[in-house]
DNA sequence: ACCCTTGTTGAATGACCGTACAGTAAAGGC
DNA sequence: GCCTTTACTGTACGGTCATTCAACAAGGGT
């Protein structure tokens, strides 16, 4: 009988990212260690370095994965419905829960001091901002309004992040419906 | 000659909190260790435990100190000017800079997994929210508007936090003036 | 059936972690 | 000037940390 299973590089990377992400969600950055992640994944300690080069490399990969998993993809939708979908998606139970947000906040806390992670953040954020900016511009055009789409998009993203942070630190103080309403209230004077 | 200087418990606590905060600002939570803090403060390794009981105790104390140092005190001002002062104070250079915000974000990342810090957060946030809620209610009354002051205050605080996070992760993308403008734009439909 | 690529193991390394604690000495009260 | 209090020192301890690396073996190609 085989002593271990040999996976493709791609599959093993995905597994390790998932396990690491689950650890971050459950216990924050304290859970992000070689020992804990490898034990949880059922693999030996040497594997993370083999696939990611360093813990910082894994951290950056996990960040990209979290972005991909929790940021709604707006490109497939009709321009007029994209903003509504963004708000619904940002505060859906899959994303707007204590554990998932705990992973987000833990990663934010590392960005400023982990170059590989900061680079990944810049990349992801730029693409995210571009999507939201375009969606706001399209909606404004459809409604015959003139807005500074880039500025409104930046502010909306900040508001969403702040609402997520708040929910993570004290869930009862910021339920999903209140968060959605706050976003709509922010956008109304620009778009209605 | 004296081998060391003997300070009052209060003074030494203040010094250690300041040094720890400076470390958080400079290098995030990685800098928050017994060795680094004591070396930077020029004291021996045993002192933190003596004054704070544990590193978690110091962390909670540092959080309270950061709140006190960066949250503007509104009670001394006339009710109509409190919100303007809140916005000015929140994005003043003393607060709205990469290093100070780095300390904030690092601490946020620990709240969910450090009971002593979470308790301190609840206490501080509750008081902060109460101040902002009252300020918004007073301003609305002065302008003859009816608003859900508690909801607007919660959202405003989230927006401020999100703007701070954004500035910390990528300062050029969110200058102070843009942040202030975002807050005013959020409040206008409720208060103007 | 063999070989070769490469995913995988696991021990070794050296540094750092927070906490405990027994002893030292500074400074205020008398 | 002594005495009491307690701020302070500094070593010791048991863990845990990320990283290195030489050896192993799984499984596809031939």
């Amino acid at each position: 009988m085989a002593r271990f299973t040999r996976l493709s590089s791609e599959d093993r990377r995905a597994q390790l990212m998932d396990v690491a992400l689950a650890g971050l969600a459950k216990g924050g950055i304290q859970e992000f260690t070689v020992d804990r992640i490898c034990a949880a994944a059922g693999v030996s300690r040497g594997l993370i370095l083999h696939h990611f080069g360093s813990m910082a490399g894994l951290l950056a990969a996990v960040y990209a994965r979290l972005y991909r998993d929790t940021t709604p993809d707006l490109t497939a939708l009709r321009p007029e419905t994209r903003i509504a979908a963004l708000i619904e998606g940002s505060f859906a139970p899959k994303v707007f829960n204590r554990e998932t947000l705990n992973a987000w906040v833990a990663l934010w806390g590392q960005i400023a001091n982990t170059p590989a992670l900061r680079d990944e953040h810049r990349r992801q954020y730029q693409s995210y901002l571009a999507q939201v900016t375009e969606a706001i511009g399209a909606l404004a055009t459809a409604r015959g309004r003139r807005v500074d789409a880039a500025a409104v998009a930046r502010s909306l993203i900040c508001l969403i992040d702040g609402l997520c942070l708040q929910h993570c630190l004290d869930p009862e103080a910021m339920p999903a419906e209140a968060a959605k309403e706050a976003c709509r209230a922010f956008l109304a004077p620009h778009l209605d």
Side-chain angles (χ1 to χ4, degrees), chain A residues 13 32 34 37 46-62 114 116-117:
Chain A
R13 283 173 61 92
F32 192 82
V34 172
I37 293 168
L47 212 49
I48 285 180
L49 223 81
H50 178 71
H51 285 293
F52 296 94
S54 69
M55 286 302 276
L58 174 57
L59 200 64
V62 165
T114 311
L117 187 55

Side-chain angles (χ1 to χ4, degrees), chain A residues 12-111:
Chain A
R12 186 64 81 193
R13 283 173 61 92
Q15 182 206 4
L16 289 172
M17 286 188 272
D18 286 341
V19 168
L21 200 44
L24 285 175
K26 203 189 116 210
I29 201 69
Q30 280 88 350
E31 289 291 318
F32 192 82
T33 72
V34 172
D35 279 327
R36 291 172 205 261
I37 293 168
C38 289
V43 301
S44 78
R45 294 172 36 71
L47 212 49
I48 285 180
L49 223 81
H50 178 71
H51 285 293
F52 296 94
S54 69
M55 286 302 276
L58 174 57
L59 200 64
V62 165
Y63 189 74
R65 194 171 183 82
L66 184 58
Y67 238 106
R68 204 202 61 190
D69 288 351
T70 62
T71 300
D73 183 21
L74 307 176
T75 53
L77 302 171
R78 297 205 328 276
E80 314 90 78
T81 63
R82 283 180 189 170
I83 290 300
L86 171 66
I87 293 175
E88 285 302 317
S90 297
F91 304 109
K94 184 189 70 170
V95 177
F96 199 67
N97 62 78
R98 203 172 196 290
E99 297 217 327
T100 302
L101 296 177
N102 199 20
W104 270 113
V105 177
L107 286 164
W108 285 339
Q110 304 300 308
I111 289 180

